[in-house]
Amino acid sequence: MTDYIKEYGEVAAQFALEGKVTDICPYGEGHINLTLLVTTDKKRYILQKMNTRVFPDPDSLMNNICGVTEHLKARGIETLNVVPTKDGKSFLKTDACYRVYDFIENTVTYQTASDINVFRNSGKAFGEFQNYLAEFDASKLTETIKRFHDTPKRFADFKAALSADAFDRAKDCKPEIDFILSHENTYGIAMEGLKDGSLPLRVTHNDTKLNNILMDDKSGEARAVIDLDTIMPGSMLFDFGDSIRFGASTAAEDEKDLDKVHFDINLFKAYAEGYCGAVKSSITKREAELLPYGAYLMTIECGMRFLSDYLSGDTYFATKYEGHNLVRCRTQIKLAGEMEAQFAAMGKIIDEILA
Ligand code: ADP
Ligand code: GN1
Ligand code: MG
């Protein structure tokens, strides 16, 4: 019996699974939940130990997920299928919280956009996902993490982590700290737009990185948008921007060799073609104007979140080694700097696509 079966076999046994469990092993590259692949003699499942420190209200979170997935299924869209517990609940609450999804077979997730067409297809899928969410009644949704993409709030949290410097780590990251402090005047534009109404408040996914979409392993087409934990009101800039942050880079989010990390305008163009093609009829002029800024903002925001976590002792994002969050922060800062220098080129691409 493997250690994982020993540890999670009893948890798995409380869900309405088909067949007898033959294996349980860790799966994927998510930073938040503990994700396990459960194999039975009939089929495969994803079992997740939910991160209740990050998402403190699992009942509301699962209500959101059940609501959104039912909405999608009713429209014939492939999505996560929540497998209930044997007593019919959407998740299991014991000492911790667990949920199970059907494993979506014959799909892959990418950690980098190694194939430009796959990235374009992911843009189309996230754009279409935005359209499906537009038809979803936002009043049915609970905000699972308050002020998730409120960058000025993230900046305030960063400054608090910096002044506490609880692990005496600030001395190792002076250039990164300086970069984040020196860009303060760029952080408010999206939140100001949402507040004054110049940017529409929409229902958004908010965590649109390439490994949160399952791509067909043969055709390279998108099959299903996953990781629905952060669906809540937000701006289109967040969804477009976070995909660019992660996918329009020439290297992985945690590449240590910064010479390999560049913002790739061709990847940006491919994603923008997919995404803007899908949202063409709903995107406003102001949103379109600010898409390049959204890419920059999500990148620098993520950089400051990684650095805050590093300064605070790595309690939020899952890390594989000491300094992992600092390595991640450095790639984000490198990308944000390169994006800043290419706002005009990005804007021209968006204009041409939407013309
Ligand atoms: P986290 O919130 O920690 O990022 P995710 O829900 O994104 O967790 O899951 C982590 C990874 O597990 C995904 O990137 C994907 O590779 C894989 N995964 C999650 N759900 C499924 C599923 N239903 N079918 C296939 N793979 C999945
Ligand atoms: C986390 O859950 P995951 O790994 O898909 C994080 C995102 C960050 C991302 C950085 C709930 O995403 O906000 O952009 O890591 N999710 C949460 O890779 O904080
Ligand atoms: Mg994920």
Side-chain angles (χ1 to χ4, degrees):
M1 203 194 272
T2 68
D3 287 351
Y4 284 96
I5 295 195
K6 259 189 223 148
E7 195 167 353
Y8 297 105
E10 277 181 26
V11 169
Q14 300 194 54
F15 286 86
L17 306 184
E18 273 178 55
K20 184 177 168 303
V21 173
T22 56
D23 192 28
I24 301 181
C25 61
Y27 192 79
E29 298 283 332
H31 297 342
I32 301 296
N33 299 294
L34 172 68
T35 301
L36 300 162
L37 173 65
V38 176
T39 308
T40 75
D41 52 8
K42 294 266 164 47
K43 56 186 279 195
R44 303 201 288 175
Y45 298 93
I46 288 286
L47 166 65
Q48 287 184 323
K49 182 175 183 183
M50 297 156 69
N51 188 329
T52 46
R53 202 171 30 77
V54 168
F55 296 103
D57 181 357
D59 289 280
S60 302
L61 172 83
M62 289 309 291
N63 274 343
N64 283 2
I65 291 184
C66 292
V68 169
T69 54
E70 278 157 25
H71 172 87
L72 294 170
K73 279 179 206 164
R75 281 158 183 74
I77 315 299
E78 188 167 12
T79 184
L80 290 171
N81 185 49
V82 176
V83 177
T85 63
K86 282 181 175 160
D87 53 4
K89 306 256 167 40
S90 62
F91 70 105
L92 175 72
K93 217 187 280 188
T94 54
D95 53 322
C97 292
Y98 299 90
R99 66 183 168 206
V100 170
Y101 296 122
D102 281 331
F103 185 86
I104 302 182
E105 296 287 352
N106 307 118
T107 60
V108 280
T109 43
Y110 291 86
Q111 306 308 323
T112 57
S114 47
D115 179 332
I116 196 165
N117 291 318
V118 165
F119 195 45
R120 183 182 289 103
N121 292 343
S122 80
K124 177 167 176 273
F126 277 125
E128 286 169 353
F129 194 76
Q130 171 64 80
N131 296 337
Y132 303 136
L133 290 179
E135 299 161 8
F136 187 76
D137 178 1
S139 69
K140 288 190 186 150
L141 281 178
T142 303
E143 209 178 348
T144 52
I145 300 179
K146 299 257 182 274
R147 304 177 72 181
F148 191 58
H149 284 309
D150 180 337
T151 314
K153 160 78 166 59
R154 295 291 190 181
F155 181 61
D157 292 346
F158 165 74
K159 282 194 297 187
L162 176 60
S163 69
D165 194 17
F167 291 78
D168 193 26
R169 288 177 167 180
K171 59 179 181 350
D172 310 332
C173 35
K174 182 97 180 43
E176 292 77 20
I177 291 168
D178 288 347
F179 187 95
I180 292 167
L181 291 176
S182 67
H183 284 70
E184 176 171 7
N185 67 346
T186 65
Y187 299 152
I189 301 170
M191 288 313 292
E192 280 155 23
L194 289 172
K195 273 186 202 131
D196 69 22
S198 58
L199 285 174
L201 188 65
R202 301 176 182 275
V203 178
T204 45
H205 180 286
N206 295 304
D207 190 3
T208 50
K209 59 179 174 175
L210 187 57
N211 66 17
N212 284 332
I213 187 163
L214 301 177
M215 311 299 295
D216 190 278
D217 62 4
K218 289 186 193 67
S219 68
E221 299 282 338
R223 285 272 299 280
V225 170
I226 59 166
D227 204 344
L228 308 177
D229 295 336
T230 50
I231 290 183
M232 49 189 164
S235 163
M236 199 186 265
L237 269 53
F238 304 158
D239 280 4
F240 179 84
D242 197 56
S243 290
I244 297 300
R245 170 191 82 72
F246 188 86
S249 168
T250 52
E253 189 186 62
D254 59 356
E255 173 58 56
K256 288 181 184 159
D257 180 357
L258 288 180
D259 290 341
K260 293 188 182 152
V261 181
H262 294 288
F263 167 60
D264 184 332
I265 193 95
N266 291 319
L267 286 170
F268 173 89
K269 179 166 183 277
Y271 187 91
E273 284 165 357
Y275 188 87
C276 293
V279 300
K280 212 166 186 165
S281 63
S282 57
I283 190 169
T284 68
K285 190 165 166 286
R286 184 65 179 150
E287 283 174 322
E289 264 169 28
L290 287 181
L291 287 182
Y293 167 74
Y296 158 82
L297 187 69
M298 289 299 97
T299 309
I300 187 79
E301 181 191 274
C302 201
M304 74 178 82
R305 290 176 63 199
F306 286 140
L307 193 53
S308 303
D309 200 30
Y310 176 69
L311 293 170
S312 313
D314 306 309
T315 59
Y316 186 93
F317 297 104
T319 51
K320 291 191 174 139
Y321 54 87
E322 195 177 307
H324 201 170
N325 272 318
L326 178 56
V327 166
R328 290 170 175 152
C329 162
R330 287 184 171 139
T331 63
Q332 303 307 292
I333 284 180
K334 172 97 187 259
L335 293 168
E338 291 194 358
M339 287 176 190
E340 253 186 314
Q342 293 191 63
F343 273 142
M346 286 192 263
K348 191 161 171 279
I349 288 170
I350 301 288
D351 289 348
E352 282 167 7
I353 294 170
L354 290 171

